[in-house]
Amino acid sequence: MRDIESFEDIKSIVDKQYAGLISDETTSRHFKELDFDSHLPRIYNFWTFILEVDPINHPYKGSAFEPHTRLGLSVEDFRIWQQYLKDAILSQFEGPMAVKMIQKAEQLGMMFEYKLVIVTGK
């Protein structure tokens, strides 16, 4: 396997992660009314920005956390989100960038869990 190198690699990871999340009975409810045509490009750009993989051509602006406060998410939802992302990465890639993406996802997950408890009390 090779390492993550491009926007297309990130797109492949995110698409695989979301396929799992959408089919998971615990998390699927959060995606019923989601406009994937606008949401997924934001997620692709978010990861290109975080990983510094072509961020000039795929810039990200805005808050990653704030939109999630209105979705009724639980800490368990974020843990499932992380596992699908980790599985999507490790099933396709290996190397320093793959490790970095997993580490960043874990950091984001901890931050989201912490903020979620503060904001929603869940």
Side-chain angles (χ1 to χ4, degrees), residues 90-102:
L90 294 176
S91 68
Q92 303 174 78
F93 301 97
E94 66 181 7
M97 194 65 90
V99 170
K100 181 178 180 180
M101 190 171 187
I102 291 168

Side-chain angles (χ1 to χ4, degrees), residues 3 15 49 60 66-67 69 79 86 91-93 100-101 109-110 114:
D3 205 357
D15 288 348
F49 175 77
Y60 178 81
E66 192 277 325
T69 61
R79 291 186 181 147
K86 185 176 180 180
S91 68
Q92 303 174 78
F93 301 97
K100 181 178 180 180
M101 190 171 187
M110 286 187 287
Y114 176 76

Side-chain angles (χ1 to χ4, degrees), residues 1-6 8-9 12 89 92-95 98:
M1 283 194 283
R2 62 183 184 79
D3 205 357
I4 300 166
E5 300 173 349
S6 68
E8 290 74 23
D9 293 342
S12 176
I89 295 166
Q92 303 174 78
F93 301 97
E94 66 181 7

Side-chain angles (χ1 to χ4, degrees), residues 5 10 46-55 97 100:
E5 300 173 349
I10 290 171
F46 172 79
W47 281 112
T48 60
F49 175 77
I50 294 294
L51 298 175
E52 300 176 27
V53 174
D54 198 14
M97 194 65 90
K100 181 178 180 180

Side-chain angles (χ1 to χ4, degrees), residues 20-42:
L21 290 168
I22 292 165
S23 66
D24 188 292
E25 63 183 47
T26 302
T27 56
S28 63
R29 71 184 189 282
H30 298 298
F31 300 98
K32 290 184 184 196
E33 297 186 27
L34 185 62
D35 176 6
F36 286 98
D37 291 336
S38 65
H39 181 71
L40 288 177
R42 282 184 55 83

